[in-house]
């Protein structure tokens, strides 16, 4: 084996490369990876000494982390995260499987040992791939714990693809390592409770966990306690919306039809129906997999929202000095403050309801007008038996008509010859009290 030269001074291959004086710097250009020659890449010990040398040069930790992530794929192609990046086929295996696993374990533990100690110096997705490989080759527990702590610190930067680490335990019945993700989430929540992480980071992790739950719920071997434990690893305030959690629970109930009725009730209690969107609430109200009590709770919450919307829209039309308007805000002072998105949704819904009411009023007025015209046409042009309607026996839409006006006719000539109808009209005209002449119904 070639003897590793001293890491200092570190030379740059290529005679035309500009020399560096003082503190060394890096850019994202690939030419700066010429810090390492082929001997460094082939020999892990040489690589470690070179990394140690450039650390003493004052190189930024994030650049050192990117270098380690780049060259780690030379020994472990699984760490590249991109299948197309492997352009050459692997060499013919000349060693046993046990020797290959031991060699990979040495590489993984060595890489973990030379990672910069600074936070956020290595991409989270690379750490997750390294953690997956470390669990696959059975790395030392201390290295695994260190990796888990580093991943938990940057969990808000993780992607769902890299988080779906398979379970390598022979005793586990699940395809995914749900217990590992639960530990990572609990450690991250501990950082949030200490004030190290912001609330926005916790919201990102909540969305990531809900997406992971939806994927893990398809596993038939996932038990209900494991599923519930991952849900409860996040505090309730971390979820701004419960749509993702509802989708995960619905997927779990669909993939596990053997869940008992009481277990379904306990599982659905984890959903805060107040945070469901109208689309999710509509789906839940028609979901046969949910228990009846959960559906009733969703319907009751939606009814309460509609009542609040109506009261809120009514309060906008009241004067600020109106005691009824101020009383509404006093009652609602203890309620949860609505976000800007929820306020926009409420305003849009109220506007739509007002438009529907105006449209219905317009259609109703048009129908009344059409009925009036039909009644007038029918009463004015009919003869014989239908002429009795002009006596006021059938009320019109506009109100009852005076008998005096009807007996005079349109031209003041009455109804023509004396008929039983005319005689009946005169009798009514002479005997009806004055207060009834104006309106007969």
């Amino acid at each position: 084996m070639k003897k590793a030269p001293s890491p200092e001074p570190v030379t740059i291959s290529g005679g035309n490369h500009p020399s560096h004086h003082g503190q060394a710097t890096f850019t994202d250009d690939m030419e700066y990876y010429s810090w390492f020659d082929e001997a460094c890449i082939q020999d892990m010990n040489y690589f470690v000494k070179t990394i140690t040398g450039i650390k003493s040069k004052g190189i930024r930790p994030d650049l050192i982390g990117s270098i380690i992530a780049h060259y780690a794929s030379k020994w472990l192609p699984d760490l590249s995260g991109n299948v197309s990046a492997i352009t050459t086929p692997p060499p013919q295996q000349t060693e046993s499987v046990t020797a290959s696993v031991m060699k990979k374990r040495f590489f993984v533990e060595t890489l973990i040992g030379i990672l910069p100690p600074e936070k956020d110096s290595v991409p989270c997705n690379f750490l997750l791939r390294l953690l997956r490989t470390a669990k696959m080759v059975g790395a030392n527990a201390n290295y695994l714990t260190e990796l888990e702590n580093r991943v938990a610190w940057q969990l808000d930067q993780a992607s769902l693809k890299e988080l779906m680490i398979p379970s390598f335990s022979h005793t586990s019945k699940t395809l995914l390592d749900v217990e590992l993700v639960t530990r990572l989430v609990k450690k991250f929540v501990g950082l949030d409770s200490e004030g190290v992480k912001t609330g926005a980071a916790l919201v990102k992790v909540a969305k990531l966990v809900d997406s992971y739950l939806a994927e893990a719920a398809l596993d038939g071997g996932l038990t209900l306690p494991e599923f519930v434990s991952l849900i409860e690893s996040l505090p309730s305030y971390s979820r701004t919306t419960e749509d993702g959690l509802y989708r995960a629970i619905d997927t779990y109930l669909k993939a596990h039809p053997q869940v008992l009725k009481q277990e379904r009730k306990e599982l659905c209690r984890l959903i805060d129906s107040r945070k469901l969107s109208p689309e999710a609430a509509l789906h839940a109200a028609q979901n046969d997999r949910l228990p009846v009590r959960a559906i009733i709770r969703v319907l009751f919450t939606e009814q309460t929202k509609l009542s609040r919307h109506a009261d809120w829209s009514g309060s906008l039309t009241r004067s600020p000095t109106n005691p009824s308007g101020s009383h509404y805000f006093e009652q609602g002072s203890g309620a949860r403050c609505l976000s800007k998105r929820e306020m926009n949704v409420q305003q849009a819904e109220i506007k739509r309801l007002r438009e529907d009411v105006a449209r219905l009023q317009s259609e109703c007025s048009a129908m009344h007008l059409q009925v009036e015209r039909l009644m007038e046409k029918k009463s004015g042009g009919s003869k014989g038996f239908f002429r009795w309607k002009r006596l006021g026996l059938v009320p019109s839409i506009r109100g009852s008509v005076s008998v005096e006006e009807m007996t005079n006719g349109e031209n003041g000539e009455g109804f023509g010859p004396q008929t039983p109808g005319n005689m009946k009209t005169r009798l009514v005209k002479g005997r009806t009290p004055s207060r009834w002449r104006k309106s007969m119904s």
Side-chain angles (χ1 to χ4, degrees):
M1 182 179 294
K2 181 180 178 180
K3 183 178 179 181
S6 176
E8 291 191 24
V10 181
T11 58
I12 303 175
S13 62
N16 296 329
H17 197 285
S19 61
H20 295 265
H21 301 282
Q23 182 179 4
T25 58
F26 281 87
T27 64
D28 293 335
D29 296 335
M30 293 299 295
E31 60 176 335
Y32 286 96
Y33 287 112
S34 59
W35 280 85
F36 308 95
D37 54 15
E38 287 298 325
C40 176
I41 297 175
Q42 297 296 331
D43 188 2
M44 174 62 79
N45 294 328
Y46 186 19
F47 180 79
V48 173
K49 291 180 180 180
T50 307
I51 290 293
T52 304
I54 65 175
K55 280 182 179 180
S56 62
K57 294 291 184 179
I59 304 300
R60 296 203 315 266
D62 58 329
L63 294 178
I64 298 177
S66 63
I67 292 173
I68 295 175
H70 174 76
Y71 281 100
S73 60
K74 301 294 182 179
W75 300 288
L76 301 172
D78 294 338
L79 299 180
S80 63
N82 188 4
V83 179
S84 61
I86 307 176
T87 57
T88 58
Q92 187 69 25
Q93 292 289 339
T94 59
E95 55 187 0
S96 63
V97 177
T98 304
S100 176
V101 171
M102 294 294 293
K103 184 177 180 180
K104 288 183 178 180
R105 182 187 303 174
F106 168 74
F107 286 159
V108 168
E109 293 179 351
T110 304
L111 289 174
I112 297 174
I114 64 175
L115 290 177
E118 290 79 8
K119 305 295 184 182
D120 301 327
S121 58
V122 183
C124 183
N125 288 333
F126 171 77
L127 292 176
L128 284 171
R129 292 192 293 268
L130 188 60
L131 178 59
R132 179 186 63 210
T133 307
K135 292 183 70 67
M136 180 178 63
V137 299
N140 187 275
N142 295 331
Y143 291 106
L144 293 176
T145 302
E146 181 181 353
L147 264 183
E148 289 182 11
N149 293 334
R150 295 180 69 102
V151 171
W153 177 271
Q154 304 173 234
L155 192 58
D156 56 312
Q157 306 171 15
S159 63
L160 177 62
K161 175 185 176 182
E162 305 299 343
L163 191 63
M164 297 179 63
I165 299 176
S167 178
F168 297 101
S169 175
H170 298 287
T171 59
S172 178
K173 298 181 180 179
T174 59
L175 298 177
L176 298 176
D177 198 342
V178 181
E179 295 182 358
L180 170 64
V181 177
T182 304
R183 289 197 304 270
L184 295 177
V185 174
K186 288 182 178 180
K187 290 180 180 179
F188 183 87
V189 172
L191 297 174
D192 177 76
S193 60
E194 296 174 1
V196 180
K197 290 294 183 177
T198 62
L202 186 61
V203 172
K204 290 182 180 179
V205 172
K207 293 181 179 179
L208 177 65
V209 171
D210 290 343
S211 301
Y212 181 86
L213 283 168
E215 297 294 335
L218 297 172
D219 190 351
L222 181 63
T223 61
L224 184 61
E226 292 176 336
F227 188 70
V228 173
S229 177
L230 182 53
I231 295 176
E232 294 179 343
S233 62
L234 284 169
S236 58
Y237 59 84
S238 63
R239 293 183 173 92
T240 57
T241 176
E242 297 280 332
D243 290 5
L245 179 59
Y246 165 72
R247 182 171 69 94
I249 292 179
D250 181 50
T251 304
Y252 184 85
L253 294 177
K254 186 176 181 180
H256 300 78
Q258 72 278 6
V259 177
L260 301 179
K261 182 178 180 181
Q262 185 62 29
E263 294 176 339
R264 291 173 182 264
K265 291 181 180 180
E266 296 176 357
L267 187 59
C268 291
R269 287 195 188 102
L270 301 176
I271 302 176
D272 189 354
S273 56
R274 296 173 298 178
K275 296 182 181 180
L276 289 177
S277 64
E279 295 79 9
L282 178 61
H283 186 277
Q286 302 173 354
N287 195 343
D288 296 337
R289 289 182 289 272
L290 300 183
V292 178
R293 183 171 298 181
I295 296 177
I296 293 176
R297 186 165 58 249
V298 171
L299 294 176
F300 178 77
T301 303
E302 290 301 308
Q303 180 65 28
T304 304
K305 288 181 182 180
L306 292 176
S307 300
R308 288 181 179 177
H309 292 175
D311 295 340
W312 178 71
S313 61
S315 65
L316 295 179
T317 59
R318 302 190 185 107
S319 173
T321 59
N322 190 357
S324 60
S326 61
H327 179 64
Y328 167 73
F329 287 103
E330 290 176 0
Q331 287 181 343
S333 60
R336 180 178 63 88
C337 295
L338 298 178
S339 63
K340 184 177 180 180
R341 176 180 175 274
E342 292 175 334
M343 293 289 289
N344 294 335
V345 172
Q346 289 181 358
Q347 292 177 0
E349 186 174 355
I350 292 173
K351 181 179 179 181
R352 181 179 58 80
L353 291 175
R354 288 178 177 175
E355 292 176 354
D356 292 342
V357 171
R359 179 177 55 81
L360 292 175
Q361 289 178 347
S362 176
E363 294 178 357
C364 186
S365 300
M367 292 175 62
H368 284 181
L369 182 61
Q370 185 177 3
V371 170
E372 288 180 6
R373 291 176 179 176
L374 290 175
M375 293 297 295
E376 289 179 356
K377 181 178 179 180
K378 196 172 184 179
S379 61
S382 59
K383 296 182 180 180
F385 172 77
F386 294 101
R387 190 178 293 179
W388 288 92
K389 294 182 180 179
R390 302 188 64 181
L391 298 178
L393 300 179
V394 179
S396 69
I397 299 299
R398 294 180 180 178
S400 301
V401 184
S402 171
V403 178
E404 183 178 1
E405 296 176 356
M406 292 182 180
T407 54
N408 291 336
E410 296 179 357
N411 300 326
E413 298 178 357
F415 290 137
Q418 298 213 359
T419 62
N422 291 339
M423 295 175 63
K424 181 68 175 181
T425 301
R426 291 197 180 103
L427 289 176
V428 173
K429 180 180 178 181
R431 296 177 183 177
T432 304
S434 60
R435 68 173 181 270
W436 287 4
R437 290 178 183 176
K438 295 181 180 181
S439 175
M440 293 185 65
S441 59

